[in-house]
Amino acid sequence: MAQTGFSPNPMKLPPFFEEDRLAVDAHLEKLLPAESVQPPSIHTAMRYSVFAGGKRIRPILCLETARIFGTDVSAALYPGCAIEFIHTYSLIHDDLPALDNDDLRRGKPTSHKKFGEATAILAGDALLTQAFETIAATPVSAERRVAMVTEIATAAGTVKGMVGGQVADLEAEGKPVSPEMLEYIHRSKTAALIRASITAGALCAGAPAEDVARLRRFGETIGWAFQVTDDILDVEESSAALGKTAGKDIAQQKATYPAVYGLERSHQIAKELADKGIAELGAYGERANRLRTIAEFLVLRRA
Ligand code: FPP
Ligand code: MG
């Protein structure tokens, strides 16, 4: 954080967060079929979870990464929203009885509680499919679109991606977990998609390969810090604050940083990872101030 002498108060979010969030919400609204489109039940369920009140961190990261390389970042709304669709599908499926079995998400009843399991499974499937339709519609060259598809599909997949991490997370339940496995779970189930939010923004804006590689390291590291913070919040915050059931990780004997390292060391690890990620932004000077602000927010947030 010392790189540019830049030191915002991350708990007082600057106006660009809200501006980006509104632009993302308007674009999500445009991309999703109306509830009335046949068959209405699936479109109602898709919209219910997408508009349930998420922070929109991933699309905001995508937009703000694109902004490093140009002023018109409207094309980056497409990969940003695509990743928000994938993220939302992952939450719907994560909450299913066969997985983490939860009743509350984003402060509302989970999809399967509201619509039943069959519709919730299909709403997740539909959002994942909608994501790739959305990337394909990005108004940039075919070469950039293919690069984004590869980046995002890999991050959501089984090889060090979200599905692989989710499998390992489920299989680690109730068992002693090694620090290496804990790192694998966090980097795969959460950091990979956050990393892709950043690299997709860079690829969409036509960033040179060297920048994409640097931003990939930034994204991977802050994504990892994000999940360590998520583990900490599950212990320290209430369900009302989080909008999801707090204290579940201990109840389900999940592989978490507080379980393996304790709370105090987990806070230090989150901070060290965030600092390490932010150090990658040194090359961009003040152009990366917004990304620095978001990275700080990711570990200091309370929800
Ligand atoms: C909270 O994000 C979500 C995470 C910390 C990711 C956890 C990972 C999974 C649920 C993977 C599940 C994977 C499959 C394949 C089912 P957030 O705080 O940004 O949530 P918000 O969008 O509601 O603000
Ligand atoms: Mg889970």
Side-chain angles (χ1 to χ4, degrees):
M1 268 160 269
Q3 304 253 342
T4 59
F6 175 73
S7 162
N9 176 352
M11 298 315 287
K12 256 185 82 187
L13 293 176
F16 81 83
F17 257 84
E18 186 58 8
E19 285 158 22
D20 284 357
R21 198 185 62 75
L22 290 172
V24 167
D25 276 12
H27 204 68
L28 290 167
E29 176 60 49
K30 236 173 44 186
L31 291 168
L32 282 171
E35 285 187 5
S36 56
V37 173
Q38 195 65 12
S41 56
I42 191 72
H43 299 127
T44 303
M46 289 162 78
R47 284 178 161 271
Y48 173 81
S49 291
V50 169
F51 294 112
K55 294 183 287 295
R56 311 297 193 216
I57 285 299
R58 295 159 189 79
I60 293 174
L61 279 166
C62 186
L63 284 182
E64 293 306 334
T65 304
R67 217 181 290 284
I68 290 187
F69 302 97
T71 47
D72 179 7
V73 296
S74 53
L77 282 167
Y78 288 79
C81 288
I83 291 170
E84 188 68 13
F85 290 145
I86 295 175
H87 165 58
T88 306
Y89 120 70
S90 83
L91 301 181
I92 295 172
H93 282 191
D94 187 55
D95 291 333
L96 287 167
L99 285 89
D100 280 355
N101 190 19
D102 215 318
D103 296 352
L104 187 69
R105 174 68 74 173
R106 292 175 164 174
K108 295 182 154 191
T110 46
S111 183
H112 65 274
K113 281 279 153 191
K114 176 96 178 156
F115 302 104
E117 264 187 72
T119 301
I121 291 167
L122 292 168
D125 295 342
L127 288 169
L128 177 58
T129 310
Q130 172 86 49
F132 287 94
E133 191 178 332
T134 300
I135 303 166
T138 310
V140 292
S141 69
E143 195 184 338
R144 289 186 197 179
R145 283 182 277 142
V146 169
M148 290 191 289
V149 166
T150 304
E151 193 76 20
I152 294 168
T154 304
T158 53
V159 181
K160 294 187 185 168
M162 184 178 73
V163 174
Q166 179 75 354
V167 171
D169 170 286
L170 290 172
E171 290 176 354
E173 251 180 53
K175 298 186 191 136
V177 66
S178 67
E180 291 75 25
M181 178 53 78
L182 181 63
E183 177 180 329
Y184 168 82
I185 291 171
H186 282 47
R187 294 179 81 158
S188 306
K189 86 168 177 183
T190 304
L193 199 62
I194 290 182
R195 182 192 69 217
S197 309
I198 290 155
T199 47
L203 290 166
C204 187
E210 187 194 339
D211 290 294
V212 176
R214 185 183 292 121
L215 289 162
R216 187 175 285 119
R217 292 193 296 273
F218 164 68
E220 176 81 24
T221 316
I222 63 154
W224 183 1
F226 180 87
Q227 183 60 54
V228 177
T229 304
D230 206 73
D231 291 354
I232 293 170
L233 293 175
D234 186 78
V235 180
E236 291 186 346
E237 287 294 340
S238 64
S239 300
L242 298 178
K244 60 182 180 181
T245 314
K248 272 200 83 187
D249 291 342
I250 295 174
Q252 292 183 328
Q253 297 183 282
K254 285 281 188 189
T256 67
Y257 273 72
V260 172
Y261 293 97
L263 266 179
E264 197 183 329
R265 180 71 193 123
S266 298
H267 275 285
Q268 283 170 356
I269 291 171
K271 170 86 170 67
E272 284 163 15
L273 286 171
D275 286 350
K276 188 173 166 216
I278 289 169
E280 295 285 353
L281 300 176
Y284 304 110
E286 302 220 330
R287 280 194 297 154
N289 276 356
R290 288 181 174 200
L291 281 187
R292 287 186 188 91
T293 304
I294 304 170
E296 291 185 331
F297 167 72
L298 294 186
V299 293
L300 290 170
R301 70 199 167 96
R302 297 309 302 171

